[in-house]
């Protein structure tokens, strides 16, 4: 049973997110997603449109997601990998290299981002409507 872990804000859930989650799940059997809490978003300098609870609710409805945990800080990844017996850590390749330090604990895979979509673009395009 291969266990996969990924993290993200997942605001304004879109097909780029779904593409990532599908491919992450396809790498194993069980996918855990660490959703950035509103407090951690403040740390990341990201203001999400939907609160943590709403973002969590939407991700629980995605068939590729088996479990959701809160992402409170940058430092919790190693503990999470140990706690949840993770085999593969996955992120989009906009993070290429940033989490290579986790290779000591599990496989690290960066998947290509889906071009032409981002939460930021959605917000900007809606402003013009
Ligand atoms: N993503 C993607 N294609 C897009 C947009 C996003 O593949 N067009 C991926 C990102 O690479 C990331 C995931 O979807 O792996 C979630 O993206 P965000 O919600 O923007 O997450 P981010 O702010 O990058 O937070 O500790 C890690 C951070 O929490 C990552």
């Amino acid at each position: 049973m291969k266990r996969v872990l990924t993290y993200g804000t997942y605001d304004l859930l879109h097909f780029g997110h779904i593409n990532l989650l599908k491919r992450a799940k396809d790498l194993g059997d069980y996918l855990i997603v660490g959703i950035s809490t509103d407090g951690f978003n403040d740390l990341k300098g990201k203001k999400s449109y939907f609160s943590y609870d709403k973002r969590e609710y939407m991700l629980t409805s995605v068939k590729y997601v088996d479990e959701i945990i809160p992402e409170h800080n940058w430092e919790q990844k190693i503990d999470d990998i140990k706690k949840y017996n993770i085999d593969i850590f996955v992120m989009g390749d906009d993070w290429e290299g940033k989490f290579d330090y986790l290779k000591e604990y599990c496989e690290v895979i960066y998947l290509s981002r889906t071009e032409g979509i981002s939460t930021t673009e959605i917000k900007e395009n809606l402003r013009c409507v």
Side-chain angles (χ1 to χ4, degrees):
M1 165 106 152
K2 273 202 171 181
R3 298 166 60 85
V4 185
L5 173 64
T6 189
Y7 295 86
T9 300
Y10 288 98
D11 190 30
L12 298 180
L13 194 63
H14 55 67
F15 62 90
H17 294 139
I18 302 300
N19 274 345
L20 190 285
L21 295 169
K22 179 187 185 317
R23 285 175 296 156
K25 179 61 179 285
D26 288 346
L27 289 169
D29 308 286
Y30 190 86
L31 174 60
I32 299 176
V33 182
I35 301 181
S36 309
T37 60
D38 297 328
F40 182 43
N41 273 339
D42 291 343
L43 268 177
K44 292 202 289 189
K46 279 187 121 171
K47 178 92 187 78
S48 61
Y49 181 81
F50 288 123
S51 66
Y52 174 83
D53 293 348
K54 292 188 173 57
R55 290 181 283 119
E56 182 193 32
Y57 175 65
M58 284 189 264
L59 272 195
T60 54
S61 313
V62 175
K63 66 181 181 181
Y64 307 115
V65 178
D66 296 293
E67 184 175 350
I68 289 172
I69 60 173
E71 182 186 28
H72 296 287
N73 56 61
W74 292 111
E75 295 77 26
Q76 70 182 78
K77 293 183 174 67
I78 294 172
D79 289 342
D80 287 346
I81 287 167
K82 292 175 181 173
K83 180 177 176 184
Y84 295 100
N85 301 312
I86 298 301
D87 301 292
I88 307 172
F89 172 84
V90 173
M91 286 304 294
D93 63 5
D94 47 315
W95 291 94
E96 182 83 37
K98 297 288 191 313
F99 299 112
D100 287 358
Y101 70 94
L102 297 175
K103 287 180 178 175
E104 192 179 332
Y105 305 96
C106 66
E107 194 177 348
V108 174
I109 295 178
Y110 301 98
L111 298 172
S112 57
R113 266 178 78 90
T114 302
E115 294 308 318
I117 184 73
S118 71
T119 303
T120 307
E121 282 174 72
I122 293 171
K123 287 178 181 175
E124 284 165 4
N125 291 341
L126 286 176
R127 271 193 206 102
C128 308
V129 173

